[in-house]
Amino acid sequence: MSESEDLIASRAKERGAASFNVRDLTYFLDNGKQNTERNESIMLQFERDPLFNIKTFNLDLKGQREVSFQRITKLAAYNNNDDEQGIRARMNILSISDPGTYTRVGVHYGLFLQTLRALGTPQQFQYWVSKGAGSLSKFFGCFGMTELAHGSNVAGLQTVANFNPSDDTFTINTPNLGATKWWIGGAAHSATHCVVYARLVVKGKDYGVKNFVVQLRNDNGELLPGVAIGDIGKKMGRDGIDNGWIQFTNVKIPRFNMLSKYAQVDSRGKVTVPEFQQLGYSALVMGRVSMVVDSYNIGKKFITIALRYATVRRQFGKDSDGLEKKIIDYTHHRRRLFPFLATIYAFNSSALEITRVQDETLKLLAGGDKNVKDVIPNLKDLFSLSAGLKAFATWETAKLIDEARQSCGGHGYSSYNGFAQGYNDWVVQCTWEGDNNVLSLSCGRALIQNYLAVEKGERVGDFTKYLKVEDNDDFVLRTQDLEYIEKIINAWEIVSKRLVQSSTAKFKQFRKETNGDLELAFEKVASNRFNIAKIHTKLVILKTFHQRVSHAPENLKSILSLLLQLYALHITSENISQFYSFNIVKGSDFLENLNYKIDEINELLRPNIIGLTDAFNLSDFMIGSQIGKKNGDIYENYFKFVTDNNTEIKPHYYDSLMKPFFERSLKPTDNEEVQENEEDDE
Amino acid sequence: MSESEDLIASRAKERGAASFNVRDLTYFLDNGKQNTERNESIMLQFERDPLFNIKTFNLDLKGQREVSFQRITKLAAYNNNDDEQGIRARMNILSISDPGTYTRVGVHYGLFLQTLRALGTPQQFQYWVSKGAGSLSKFFGCFGMTELAHGSNVAGLQTVANFNPSDDTFTINTPNLGATKWWIGGAAHSATHCVVYARLVVKGKDYGVKNFVVQLRNDNGELLPGVAIGDIGKKMGRDGIDNGWIQFTNVKIPRFNMLSKYAQVDSRGKVTVPEFQQLGYSALVMGRVSMVVDSYNIGKKFITIALRYATVRRQFGKDSDGLEKKIIDYTHHRRRLFPFLATIYAFNSSALEITRVQDETLKLLAGGDKNVKDVIPNLKDLFSLSAGLKAFATWETAKLIDEARQSCGGHGYSSYNGFAQGYNDWVVQCTWEGDNNVLSLSCGRALIQNYLAVEKGERVGDFTKYLKVEDNDDFVLRTQDLEYIEKIINAWEIVSKRLVQSSTAKFKQFRKETNGDLELAFEKVASNRFNIAKIHTKLVILKTFHQRVSHAPENLKSILSLLLQLYALHITSENISQFYSFNIVKGSDFLENLNYKIDEINELLRPNIIGLTDAFNLSDFMIGSQIGKKNGDIYENYFKFVTDNNTEIKPHYYDSLMKPFFERSLKPTDNEEVQENEEDDE
Ligand SMILES: Cc1cc2nc3c(=O)[nH]c(=O)nc-3n(C[C@H](O)[C@H](O)[C@H](O)COP(=O)(O)OP(=O)(O)OC[C@H]3O[C@@H](n4cnc5c(N)ncnc54)[C@H](O)[C@@H]3O)c2cc1C
Ligand SMILES: Cc1cc2nc3c(=O)[nH]c(=O)nc-3n(C[C@H](O)[C@H](O)[C@H](O)COP(=O)(O)OP(=O)(O)OC[C@H]3O[C@@H](n4cnc5c(N)ncnc54)[C@H](O)[C@@H]3O)c2cc1C
């Protein structure tokens, strides 16, 4: 057999080894056959469309921006022809195949329009839709919150919207350089309008930050008077989207342009502020939970590449077939990758479960005032949980991409194998829509507040109910318990509860020591807060994964349970110090055995690896990696791509630069030459 | 005060707060005033040289390659005029300011020439130097080890060098696609010659992989007959260097071109193989230890940016001056960054100490046969240690860059602030010159072998001598012990020793169970091996840091000791599960107190942060980050750079693409339109 035939046959054999029905698992992951089929159709449309096949490796910033806009025009045409679910599925798929373009159009739909819907009155929303906001017709929105010197602390933004009762307008101003709107996606090239976050000032009084729709450009793409905009330029990734800066110098807008579902200003300058601020949360919650879905989408792509590569790449050793061993057959290599595979399955289940809970909660909320009060604990719970979820899911995915790249050795570093761009595009997810560290700390703060509520006998949400459980001082997790998922979950609940408990105790102590200074006390337990946010979030992911696996179709239960167990043991091993510190586990044998147990599960998973990655059902087009393609013929695929895309034989600077350099004189210059005679003279 | 004045004044104040002499600390880091002054002169030359100031953000692959070669021509001119130490210092500085170009010329000097020196006879070395290899005159070398399908396992390479006794030549062949030389730095554009790793075959017998000098191109830059070369193309980073692939089809070279210091073939085809294979190690050891220096060099740049930013960026809260709080004043933010600062100081000290030991060892080795046997344990020790050092130092630095970027929020994601390119350039260090995981596992294997030697009463090297120490079963590290560095080191030695001991015991058990199958037994303790490599390496870094701090000038001891303590506590907290598992530490209070103790040290370090980063003595040119500049005026610096480098006002595709899109008809196409009448008819 030739090398290629060998590789292809080997992949086919691995593919045949799965102990479960791969198609059924795809339906499980996609939450239904219908979704799978819809996705397949969209992937095929992209794959066949020349516009989505342009290679962007060597494009500069300008080129990337242009290709991205071209794709947006086509996307609009596709969407025009489709229903809500189809549009959502298409956006999901675009988020995998072209994250830059996805964000560019996503800012309009996801941030601009959603803000209008969430914070504008129905009339306002309708008005802007009638102007073309719904169809991207003469209209492209952007979202202007962040400023050059101000970010996470939204309440501290400095752009001003001053009310003018004389003509029923606001004047928008950027008071200083630091208040320049910064990072605004779509502002540099695309946007005609912006939702500007600015301080509402009426008759000299500052009412805090509110939202205002400001037109930026006219129908000819020219900036309106008083609006200064520039491109922020080159970024680590997602260069398809045109992030820009905006400065406003006395830009007048009608009073109508202030989004007024909650806060209102009337024509005489009377300001009304809302009662239930919390209602604005729900949009944020959905946005954050959707980032677990993003994490799943991106994670599945890169773990597929790495695991496919590992089943054909050989290195060292001797296998039964006399060849070098496949790297997937090294204990340590499995240990690096399989837990990430389990994590990605966990993200899928967890996101679906939490979305279900969220939808139920929001439905109750929409049910009217009577329900609102009942739902508040769950809403708060979801809100702080969503912060932790967003943070730890996006971080884990960044780690996954990096580990997956390293697991492919040198070939992981080639731009043609996907990881480089993939990582660079991804990592901004750890920063935007809430910096991960800020979110984690706020999740930790909420957990302490929850525990204070528990102590006072108040209601807490469903995800934190376990904090109430009486814990058993003698609880010990032993090696043999590692077989039982319920035992492990139980141990996690105890650890999480004790950590929250002791963090709260510390917090109370510090509050006393600082004479009740709440902020200072919270600040002093910062490392506790971060820690409990992590443990609580991972526990919730574990529990929701478990939940969904228990309702899985019978023929998938055994493989899913194996992944669940691996996930459980993996996160336990990563956080084992907490278990030791509370004497939940004991002795060095336990840790060693936990590690061996993970090796054992990995051994069981091994024959199913290609099946488990195939189940993600990504076409070669979506994978976008020469060493990650389905057929396994990695070296031919990769070599062909490299030679097709690099055709220059002699460098274009050979004659101008290289030849003169190689043939230069090595004689010293007049500056270097030592005049021997003169020296001798002295 | 204006915003700018405010920032500049604030930075100046922070700068004045250092409790030590910053200049003295720079001398300490640079290992002497002379070195500092040399570095300053070189940095200034680069900074003033227009060639080194070209901005490469928007250059495509071709452009980057060209700029890189231009810089090499200039570098050669600088080097021509300088001594060994000057050249080395210049290369070090280039490695910070332009890693791509550094690698491109480094492959010639560091890999090609060093291999000739290490593996060629003196005559061979002289011969190639006389051909121009020493001066890059009509000569540029590359290093051809890796193949498309073969990497870490050098013994498994498949390129063939077949000896032809008839005309005293070898024929070099690439037998199949997988044996294509791959990733070869400099091959695509620059190289005239290559050291090719190929299997020596004489009269049908395979003698394993040896080294052969093969000319690739003629004086006109054209490929020689039988040599096929192509560009590997776009990479995650370091696009300045032209990595290429090479295929040989019956390329004949004289027998003289086989490097023959150790293995030799005479004209009749008689092969001699060397006795002391280990001697080849020394070059590898030096290369790996130098990557701790690289880690220091790159790490200091990015931690400087992050910490400078943290002392001016404000977010949330209220400070005593009524402004928002500086982010450096958040406990958690310190916790994320200060330990990395300590780590970078540790790398500096550790690299200097280990280099000293290495130089001594190699000197003894060079002393002649009698010494060689005595030195072998230390050489082996250094060899396996260097594997661990390379792996964990380069990983830690990758983590540092990523954390530093995240610590700058959104601005960390801009290409103008350094992190994006910095990370992409850096991370290949975890893969090349020995994949980090492969190296860690081999370090772990050596530790087990060391322990077996200890058990047999054999000699081991100085760095592993602690494995012999009788350990004290009752040893406990308590909170109050965290003040004493010797106590902490002691605890680390005990933990490391016990881990190596129990890993060895497991290894022996598995060897029995597998009927003496050594490889299988080592494979089964893979996670142990990885783990002990990590602990041993961190312990050695800690001890060598301690060593050098104890010999530091008196006026620096107090600040250095604080960094040392922080480093010690930080790595302890990161690896605390091992301490718990052996009952070296106990209870949840210990962990909590350890965390608070770290917070306390951070509080003490706080006023010295600008001083500690200034001590790295990198000019703004070297920092290459708008938010990392010395004067603290981050927003002006950054805004100016963004506006200077992004001057397009209307996108170049507005008329061709945007306007038609915005003005498109929203009427359905003929494919979409439903013919109402016909439907009604049915
Ligand atoms: C590519 C990209 C696109 C973007 N698109 C948009 C957009 O379209 N519209 C828009 O409005 N914004 C946009 N943003 C901005 C983004 O939302 C912000 O960057 C993000 O919210 C983080 O805020 P920041 O950058 O100000 O970071 P900061 O809040 O300044 O944080 C800096 C660092 O300080 C730390 N920190 C801050 N506060 C605390 C605390 N209390 N305790 C401990 N640590 C703390 C953080 O963890 C972080 O590491 C975009 C950003 C990027 C990079
Ligand atoms: C930018 C760049 C420049 C380079 N320049 C050169 C050059 O100039 N000349 C040259 O000769 N080479 C060069 N290389 C090649 C480089 O040295 C190799 O990529 C590196 O040695 C790793 O080998 P590999 O890629 O074959 O990885 P592999 O050895 O195939 O490793 C793949 C994965 O398998 C794992 N693995 C392998 N064996 C084991 C095992 N026994 N147990 C557990 N896990 C295992 C590894 O940890 C890794 O994650 C370059 C590479 C790059 C990316």
Side-chain angles (χ1 to χ4, degrees):
Chain A
M1 276 207 283
S2 77
E3 276 173 293
S4 283
E5 286 163 351
D6 204 26
L7 290 167
I8 293 169
S10 163
R11 171 65 52 84
K13 200 172 147 202
E14 298 262 3
R15 184 158 280 132
S19 66
F20 57 91
N21 185 311
V22 174
R23 192 71 184 167
D24 286 348
L25 187 55
T26 300
Y27 298 155
F28 175 81
L29 289 166
D30 288 346
N31 207 19
K33 182 173 170 194
Q34 219 182 336
N35 295 334
T36 300
E37 286 167 356
R38 185 190 296 108
N39 289 341
E40 285 174 337
S41 154
I42 296 170
M43 287 193 287
L44 196 60
Q45 286 177 335
F46 279 173
E47 181 172 339
R48 290 174 169 174
D49 188 326
L51 205 49
F52 289 84
N53 272 290
I54 295 173
K55 293 192 189 80
T56 55
F57 302 116
N58 273 325
L59 291 181
D60 64 5
L61 192 62
K62 285 188 175 188
Q64 292 205 42
R65 296 279 174 75
E66 182 166 355
V67 167
S68 168
F69 202 86
Q70 281 184 284
R71 289 183 180 166
I72 287 178
T73 66
K74 193 64 182 278
L75 198 77
Y78 274 121
N79 283 352
N80 200 28
N81 209 357
D82 210 344
D83 61 11
E84 180 75 22
Q85 283 185 305
I87 293 174
R88 204 176 290 169
R90 185 169 298 103
M91 290 297 281
N92 249 323
I93 285 167
L94 184 68
S95 81
I96 305 177
S97 67
D98 182 355
T101 301
Y102 166 71
T103 318
R104 188 166 179 178
V105 64
V107 161
H108 170 83
Y109 285 116
L111 293 177
F112 180 86
L113 268 192
Q114 285 303 331
T115 307
L116 253 56
R117 200 193 307 266
L119 305 179
T121 63
Q123 298 90 306
Q124 287 179 317
F125 184 66
Q126 257 332 105
Y127 174 79
W128 295 112
V129 166
S130 76
K131 285 274 186 170
S135 51
L136 283 178
S137 167
K138 298 198 179 183
F139 204 105
F140 203 115
C142 66
F143 179 79
M145 184 167 78
T146 308
E147 297 172 356
L148 176 55
H150 310 274
S152 305
N153 180 22
V154 177
L157 296 174
Q158 302 203 348
T159 302
V160 173
N162 195 57
F163 181 61
N164 314 303
S166 59
D167 58 359
D168 212 24
T169 60
F170 296 104
T171 307
I172 311 285
N173 260 305
T174 301
N176 51 44
L177 179 65
T180 305
K181 290 292 170 189
W182 203 262
W183 282 123
I184 311 310
H189 286 181
S190 327
T192 59
H193 293 70
C194 182
V195 185
V196 176
Y197 279 59
R199 316 197 71 79
L200 169 64
V201 174
V202 182
K203 298 176 195 153
K205 184 166 171 198
D206 183 331
Y207 289 88
V209 173
K210 305 287 173 281
N211 310 273
F212 305 83
V213 179
V214 183
Q215 184 173 348
L216 305 174
R217 292 180 168 92
N218 66 18
D219 277 359
N220 228 2
E222 272 122 23
L223 296 175
L224 295 191
V227 177
I229 293 189
D231 196 331
I232 289 188
K234 189 88 186 133
K235 303 186 295 283
M236 187 162 178
R238 302 195 192 225
D239 273 330
I241 178 169
D242 50 317
N243 293 91
W245 57 263
I246 315 178
Q247 290 172 338
F248 300 102
T249 312
N250 287 321
V251 177
K252 276 205 175 184
I253 57 168
R255 182 168 57 89
F256 177 81
N257 288 21
M258 173 171 147
L259 298 182
S260 307
K261 191 189 274 177
Y262 302 112
Q264 286 133 18
V265 181
D266 74 10
S267 60
R268 284 158 310 159
K270 191 167 162 276
V271 179
T272 324
V273 267
E275 219 189 331
F276 271 126
Q277 290 266 27
Q278 275 141 339
L279 294 180
Y281 285 2
S282 52
L284 269 176
V285 170
M286 286 194 286
R288 289 174 184 173
V289 172
S290 80
M291 288 171 91
V292 185
V293 180
D294 284 357
S295 299
Y296 164 69
N297 279 329
I298 295 297
K300 72 183 175 188
K301 169 171 168 172
F302 291 104
I303 198 68
T304 299
I305 302 172
L307 287 171
R308 283 185 175 169
Y309 184 70
T311 57
V312 284
R313 179 69 172 183
R314 294 171 183 274
Q315 205 64 257
F316 297 104
K318 271 268 173 295
D319 217 350
S320 47
D321 52 12
L323 299 171
E324 287 178 302
K325 236 164 101 164
K326 291 179 175 179
I327 55 178
I328 201 173
D329 288 325
Y330 290 105
T331 318
H332 182 65
H333 204 73
R334 293 179 188 172
R335 183 62 190 268
R336 291 165 62 195
L337 295 176
F338 291 12
F340 278 118
L341 179 66
T343 302
I344 288 307
Y345 272 86
F347 285 173
N348 172 276
S349 285
S350 184
L352 286 168
E353 280 295 305
I354 292 168
T355 306
R356 199 180 48 71
V357 174
Q358 161 199 295
D359 292 349
E360 278 170 18
T361 310
L362 297 183
K363 220 165 99 189
L364 283 176
L365 201 65
D369 262 14
K370 190 194 141 290
N371 286 321
V372 168
K373 286 223 172 98
D374 288 357
V375 181
I376 292 288
N378 272 340
L379 188 64
K380 276 188 172 176
D381 205 19
L382 264 172
F383 184 67
S384 59
L385 173 65
S386 70
L389 280 174
K390 186 272 182 184
F392 292 101
T394 57
W395 268 330
E396 201 63 23
T397 304
K399 265 171 65 181
L400 180 156
I401 302 172
D402 179 56
E403 188 70 59
R405 178 184 56 73
Q406 290 193 48
S407 82
C408 296
H411 299 326
Y413 199 68
S414 164
S415 292
Y416 310 139
N417 290 323
F419 300 105
Q421 190 67 45
Y423 184 84
N424 287 323
D425 285 343
W426 179 259
V427 292
V428 70
Q429 299 263 36
C430 305
T431 299
W432 67 16
E433 301 203 24
D435 166 83
N436 279 2
N437 282 289
V438 172
L439 289 180
S440 304
L441 290 172
S442 87
C443 174
R445 174 193 285 247
L447 285 167
I448 290 178
Q449 285 162 336
N450 270 313
Y451 202 79
L452 292 170
V454 166
E455 288 183 329
K456 288 191 212 135
E458 292 169 8
R459 273 187 59 198
V460 292
D462 292 340
F463 287 116
T464 34
K465 257 192 336 220
Y466 72 92
L467 294 177
K468 285 185 182 174
V469 172
E470 277 298 314
D471 105 32
N472 170 356
D473 279 349
D474 306 328
F475 185 94
V476 173
L477 191 73
R478 287 152 312 174
T479 304
Q480 58 268 38
D481 299 330
L482 297 176
E483 300 294 336
Y484 306 103
I485 188 71
E486 289 82 4
K487 267 268 180 183
I488 303 172
I489 290 177
N490 200 200
W492 269 82
E493 288 188 337
I494 292 176
V495 166
S496 185
K497 180 235 165 102
R498 289 193 195 164
L499 280 173
V500 175
Q501 187 174 35
S502 72
S503 302
T504 309
K506 277 284 169 193
F507 166 74
K508 290 199 280 191
Q509 177 195 324
F510 288 129
R511 196 166 46 175
K512 240 184 231 149
E513 286 173 20
T514 58
N515 295 318
D517 186 333
L518 213 74
E519 286 312 309
L520 198 58
F522 270 126
E523 192 48 35
K524 283 191 172 274
V525 292
S527 58
N528 307 60
R529 277 155 65 201
F530 187 83
N531 198 25
I532 57 184
K534 182 170 77 180
I535 298 293
H536 173 71
T537 304
K538 301 218 159 167
L539 167 58
V540 172
I541 295 174
L542 177 60
K543 281 163 80 171
T544 46
F545 188 15
H546 178 227
Q547 180 80 3
R548 195 165 143 82
V549 169
S550 17
H551 297 113
E554 278 311 316
N555 66 337
L556 298 176
K557 268 205 176 140
S558 111
I559 187 74
L560 286 169
S561 302
L562 210 54
L563 289 166
L564 171 64
Q565 197 191 1
L566 177 57
Y567 181 70
L569 298 192
H570 168 67
I571 60 172
T572 305
S573 109
E574 283 207 316
N575 296 284
I576 196 69
S577 60
Q578 313 287 353
F579 290 71
Y580 273 115
S581 81
F582 289 117
N583 290 312
I584 300 278
V585 304
K586 286 174 183 163
S588 58
D589 279 0
F590 180 87
L591 188 50
E592 217 171 35
N593 288 332
L594 174 59
N595 280 321
Y596 293 138
K597 185 78 207 162
I598 292 176
D599 292 345
E600 265 173 44
I601 299 176
N602 289 345
E603 184 78 34
L604 296 172
L605 281 172
R606 167 67 183 91
N608 289 302
I609 287 300
I610 290 299
L612 285 168
T613 49
D614 277 356
F616 296 134
N617 205 29
L618 290 171
S619 64
D620 280 352
F621 170 79
M622 295 297 293
I623 289 283
S625 167
Q626 302 314 310
I627 58 172
K629 287 191 172 173
K630 194 156 188 175
N631 72 355
D633 194 10
I634 51 172
Y635 300 123
E636 282 288 351
N637 293 338
Y638 182 24
F639 187 70
K640 184 166 169 8
F641 194 91
V642 165
T643 47
D644 285 355
N645 286 281
N646 295 280
T647 49
E648 192 183 62
I649 293 175
K650 215 176 189 180
H652 61 281
Y653 52 84
Y654 184 82
D655 290 327
S656 63
L657 212 56
M658 290 184 67
K659 199 168 166 69
F661 172 67
F662 280 148
E663 293 177 354
R664 76 196 182 284
S665 153
L666 292 175
K667 276 194 317 192
T669 63
D670 291 344
N671 291 346
E672 290 159 26
E673 195 152 33
V674 179
Q675 302 300 327
E676 310 250 349
N677 288 344
E678 289 195 15
E679 254 183 22
D680 284 352
D681 279 353
E682 288 181 348
Chain B
M1 275 207 284
S2 77
E3 275 173 293
S4 282
E5 286 164 351
D6 202 27
L7 290 166
I8 292 170
S10 163
R11 172 64 51 85
K13 200 173 148 202
E14 298 262 2
R15 184 158 281 131
S19 67
F20 56 90
N21 184 312
V22 174
R23 191 71 183 169
D24 285 348
L25 187 55
T26 301
Y27 297 156
F28 175 80
L29 289 166
D30 288 346
N31 208 17
K33 182 174 172 195
Q34 221 182 337
N35 295 334
T36 299
E37 286 167 355
R38 186 190 296 108
N39 289 341
E40 285 174 336
S41 154
I42 296 170
M43 287 193 286
L44 196 61
Q45 285 178 334
F46 279 174
E47 182 172 337
R48 291 175 168 173
D49 189 326
L51 205 50
F52 288 85
N53 271 291
I54 296 172
K55 293 192 190 78
T56 55
F57 302 115
N58 273 325
L59 291 181
D60 65 4
L61 192 62
K62 284 189 175 185
Q64 292 206 42
R65 296 279 175 75
E66 182 166 354
V67 167
S68 167
F69 202 86
Q70 281 184 285
R71 289 183 180 166
I72 287 178
T73 65
K74 194 64 183 278
L75 198 77
Y78 274 121
N79 283 352
N80 199 30
N81 208 358
D82 209 343
D83 61 12
E84 180 75 21
Q85 284 185 303
I87 293 173
R88 204 175 291 168
R90 184 168 298 102
M91 290 297 281
N92 251 322
I93 284 167
L94 184 68
S95 80
I96 305 177
S97 66
D98 182 354
T101 301
Y102 166 71
T103 319
R104 188 165 180 177
V105 63
V107 161
H108 169 82
Y109 284 117
L111 293 177
F112 180 85
L113 268 192
Q114 285 304 330
T115 307
L116 253 56
R117 199 193 307 266
L119 304 179
T121 62
Q123 298 90 307
Q124 287 179 317
F125 184 66
Q126 256 333 104
Y127 175 79
W128 294 112
V129 166
S130 76
K131 285 274 186 169
S135 51
L136 285 178
S137 165
K138 298 198 178 184
F139 205 106
F140 202 116
C142 67
F143 179 79
M145 185 167 78
T146 308
E147 297 172 356
L148 177 56
H150 309 275
S152 306
N153 180 20
V154 177
L157 295 173
Q158 300 202 351
T159 302
V160 173
N162 195 56
F163 181 62
N164 314 303
S166 60
D167 59 359
D168 211 24
T169 60
F170 295 105
T171 307
I172 311 286
N173 259 304
T174 302
N176 51 44
L177 179 65
T180 305
K181 290 293 170 188
W182 204 263
W183 282 123
I184 312 309
H189 286 180
S190 328
T192 60
H193 292 71
C194 181
V195 186
V196 176
Y197 280 59
R199 316 198 70 80
L200 170 63
V201 175
V202 182
K203 298 176 196 154
K205 184 167 171 198
D206 183 332
Y207 289 88
V209 173
K210 304 287 175 282
N211 310 274
F212 304 84
V213 179
V214 183
Q215 186 174 347
L216 304 174
R217 293 180 168 92
N218 67 17
D219 278 359
N220 228 359
E222 271 120 24
L223 295 175
L224 294 191
V227 177
I229 293 189
D231 196 330
I232 289 188
K234 189 88 185 131
K235 303 188 294 281
M236 187 162 179
R238 300 195 194 226
D239 273 331
I241 178 169
D242 50 317
N243 293 91
W245 56 263
I246 316 178
Q247 291 172 336
F248 299 101
T249 312
N250 288 322
V251 177
K252 276 207 175 185
I253 56 167
R255 181 168 59 90
F256 176 82
N257 289 20
M258 172 172 147
L259 298 182
S260 306
K261 192 189 273 179
Y262 301 113
Q264 286 132 17
V265 182
D266 76 9
S267 60
R268 283 157 311 158
K270 190 166 164 279
V271 179
T272 324
V273 266
E275 220 186 331
F276 272 126
Q277 289 265 29
Q278 276 141 337
L279 294 181
Y281 286 1
S282 52
L284 270 177
V285 170
M286 286 195 286
R288 290 172 183 174
V289 171
S290 79
M291 287 172 91
V292 184
V293 180
D294 284 356
S295 300
Y296 165 69
N297 278 329
I298 295 297
K300 70 183 176 188
K301 169 172 167 169
F302 291 104
I303 199 67
T304 300
I305 301 172
L307 287 171
R308 284 185 175 169
Y309 184 70
T311 56
V312 283
R313 179 71 172 180
R314 294 171 183 274
Q315 204 64 257
F316 295 105
K318 272 268 176 295
D319 218 350
S320 47
D321 51 13
L323 298 171
E324 287 179 301
K325 233 163 105 165
K326 291 179 174 179
I327 55 178
I328 201 174
D329 288 324
Y330 290 106
T331 317
H332 182 65
H333 204 74
R334 292 180 189 172
R335 184 61 189 270
R336 290 164 64 194
L337 295 177
F338 291 12
F340 278 118
L341 178 67
T343 301
I344 288 306
Y345 272 86
F347 285 172
N348 172 275
S349 284
S350 185
L352 285 168
E353 280 295 305
I354 291 168
T355 306
R356 198 180 49 71
V357 174
Q358 161 199 296
D359 291 348
E360 276 169 20
T361 311
L362 296 181
K363 219 165 100 189
L364 283 175
L365 201 67
D369 263 15
K370 192 194 138 291
N371 286 320
V372 169
K373 285 220 173 97
D374 289 355
V375 180
I376 291 288
N378 272 338
L379 189 64
K380 277 187 171 175
D381 204 20
L382 263 172
F383 184 66
S384 59
L385 173 65
S386 69
L389 280 175
K390 186 269 182 188
F392 292 101
T394 57
W395 269 329
E396 201 61 25
T397 304
K399 266 171 65 183
L400 180 156
I401 302 172
D402 179 55
E403 187 70 59
R405 178 184 57 72
Q406 291 193 49
S407 81
C408 297
H411 299 326
Y413 199 67
S414 163
S415 292
Y416 310 139
N417 290 324
F419 300 104
Q421 190 67 44
Y423 184 85
N424 287 325
D425 285 343
W426 179 258
V427 291
V428 69
Q429 299 264 35
C430 305
T431 299
W432 67 15
E433 301 203 24
D435 166 83
N436 279 3
N437 282 288
V438 172
L439 289 180
S440 303
L441 290 171
S442 88
C443 173
R445 175 192 285 247
L447 286 167
I448 291 178
Q449 283 161 337
N450 270 314
Y451 202 80
L452 292 170
V454 166
E455 288 182 330
K456 287 191 212 134
E458 291 169 8
R459 273 188 58 196
V460 292
D462 293 338
F463 286 113
T464 35
K465 256 192 337 222
Y466 73 91
L467 294 176
K468 284 185 182 172
V469 172
E470 277 300 314
D471 110 32
N472 169 357
D473 278 348
D474 306 327
F475 184 94
V476 173
L477 192 72
R478 288 152 310 174
T479 304
Q480 59 267 39
D481 299 329
L482 297 176
E483 300 293 338
Y484 306 102
I485 188 71
E486 289 81 4
K487 267 267 180 183
I488 303 172
I489 291 178
N490 200 201
W492 269 81
E493 288 188 338
I494 293 176
V495 167
S496 185
K497 181 235 164 105
R498 289 194 196 163
L499 279 172
V500 175
Q501 187 174 35
S502 74
S503 303
T504 308
K506 277 284 169 191
F507 166 74
K508 290 199 279 192
Q509 176 196 325
F510 287 130
R511 195 165 49 175
K512 240 182 230 149
E513 287 173 21
T514 58
N515 296 318
D517 186 333
L518 212 72
E519 286 311 309
L520 199 56
F522 271 125
E523 192 49 34
K524 283 190 173 272
V525 292
S527 57
N528 308 60
R529 276 155 63 202
F530 187 83
N531 197 25
I532 56 184
K534 181 170 77 180
I535 298 293
H536 173 71
T537 304
K538 300 216 160 169
L539 167 60
V540 171
I541 295 174
L542 177 60
K543 282 163 78 171
T544 45
F545 188 15
H546 179 227
Q547 181 78 5
R548 195 165 143 82
V549 169
S550 15
H551 295 114
E554 279 311 317
N555 67 336
L556 299 174
K557 268 205 176 140
S558 112
I559 187 74
L560 286 169
S561 302
L562 209 55
L563 290 166
L564 172 64
Q565 197 192 359
L566 177 58
Y567 182 69
L569 298 193
H570 168 66
I571 61 172
T572 304
S573 110
E574 284 209 315
N575 295 286
I576 195 70
S577 60
Q578 312 289 353
F579 291 69
Y580 273 116
S581 81
F582 289 117
N583 290 312
I584 299 280
V585 303
K586 287 175 181 161
S588 60
D589 280 0
F590 179 87
L591 188 50
E592 218 171 35
N593 289 331
L594 174 58
N595 280 321
Y596 293 138
K597 185 77 208 162
I598 292 176
D599 292 346
E600 265 173 44
I601 300 176
N602 289 345
E603 184 78 33
L604 296 173
L605 280 172
R606 166 68 183 92
N608 289 302
I609 286 299
I610 290 299
L612 285 168
T613 49
D614 277 356
F616 296 135
N617 205 30
L618 290 170
S619 63
D620 281 351
F621 170 79
M622 296 297 292
I623 289 282
S625 168
Q626 302 314 311
I627 58 171
K629 287 191 173 173
K630 196 156 185 175
N631 72 355
D633 193 11
I634 50 172
Y635 300 123
E636 281 289 352
N637 294 337
Y638 183 23
F639 187 70
K640 184 166 169 10
F641 195 91
V642 165
T643 47
D644 285 354
N645 286 281
N646 295 280
T647 49
E648 192 183 61
I649 292 176
K650 214 177 189 181
H652 62 282
Y653 52 83
Y654 184 81
D655 290 327
S656 63
L657 212 56
M658 289 183 68
K659 199 169 167 68
F661 173 67
F662 279 148
E663 294 177 353
R664 76 198 182 282
S665 151
L666 292 174
K667 278 193 317 194
T669 64
D670 292 344
N671 291 344
E672 291 159 25
E673 195 152 33
V674 179
Q675 302 302 326
E676 310 251 347
N677 289 342
E678 289 195 13
E679 253 182 24
D680 285 351
D681 281 353
E682 287 180 348

